[in-house]
Amino acid sequence: MTAAIFRGKRRRAAAAVGAVAFGLVALSACDKPTPLATVTVGSTTVTTEAACYEKGKELDRGDLDKCMADKSIKSIKVQPGDKVRVGVEPDMAEQGWIVVGNGQQQTNQLKQTYTSLDGEQLFVNRMAQRLEKSVVLSVITKDGVWSVKLELDKS
């Protein structure tokens, strides 16, 4: 009779240990999501994860170029006169961030969690002196790049 009780306790103990081990393996397989950047135009908001993100590790120039060339990004329409609001998470703001539009720096380094930009000015290509139909707006920190495509909507 006592042998049956010990076997039952051992099975329950083994099952408990197995469940804990499985839970730890399952948790270690989960990646923490990257911080998010948000772009709002009027009442439309687009939130994006990083094209590249190496928490705490500085991206080198080659990595940065690859990240900014990512074409699988969300888009948002901008009409002339619209304000484009860009927001980042507090951790990103703490380390400092800049906004780049089609390779042209749009802001100095920022430490707050949001900034507003003149939508029309983002489409002006100063080098070619023309108005672009779309702009890839990138938020850049030392360890990541977040991008959203802005499309000029003249309707």
Side-chain angles (χ1 to χ4, degrees):
M1 185 85 151
T2 52
I5 292 172
F6 286 123
R7 277 192 222 137
K9 285 183 181 179
R10 285 185 191 153
R11 283 188 193 147
R12 283 192 297 268
V17 169
V20 169
F22 178 75
L24 290 174
V25 168
L27 284 175
S28 67
C30 296
D31 288 333
K32 184 178 179 193
T34 66
L36 301 174
T38 303
V39 176
T40 302
V41 178
S43 62
T44 306
T45 298
V46 172
T47 302
T48 185
E49 288 189 26
C52 296
Y53 181 66
E54 296 291 331
K55 183 179 173 114
K57 179 184 166 206
E58 195 164 326
L59 295 174
D60 64 28
R61 183 68 189 177
D63 291 335
L64 187 61
D65 289 341
K66 274 192 265 182
C67 297
M68 292 185 68
D70 184 9
K71 299 296 180 202
S72 60
I73 57 177
K74 297 177 181 178
S75 65
I76 190 168
K77 295 201 180 290
V78 180
Q79 293 184 342
D82 281 344
K83 286 285 183 199
V84 176
R85 292 172 178 80
V86 182
V88 299
E89 292 187 11
D91 290 347
M92 294 166 63
E94 250 179 51
Q95 67 176 307
W97 57 289
I98 63 169
V99 178
V100 173
N102 277 1
Q104 299 175 39
Q105 188 170 336
Q106 301 294 324
T107 65
N108 292 322
Q109 187 177 39
L110 303 166
K111 292 282 190 169
Q112 67 267 22
T113 57
Y114 71 93
T115 191
S116 293
L117 304 166
D118 181 357
E120 260 179 295
Q121 290 301 309
L122 294 171
F123 292 93
V124 175
N125 183 327
R126 293 187 277 276
M127 302 286 246
Q129 297 187 358
R130 68 170 183 251
L131 198 61
E132 300 289 344
K133 294 179 183 176
S134 67
V135 173
V136 175
L137 193 72
S138 298
V139 170
I140 302 173
T141 65
K142 68 177 178 135
D143 57 4
V145 176
W146 295 255
S147 297
V148 171
K149 183 177 183 179
L150 306 179
E151 296 175 339
L152 188 58
D153 182 10
K154 292 184 179 180
S155 57

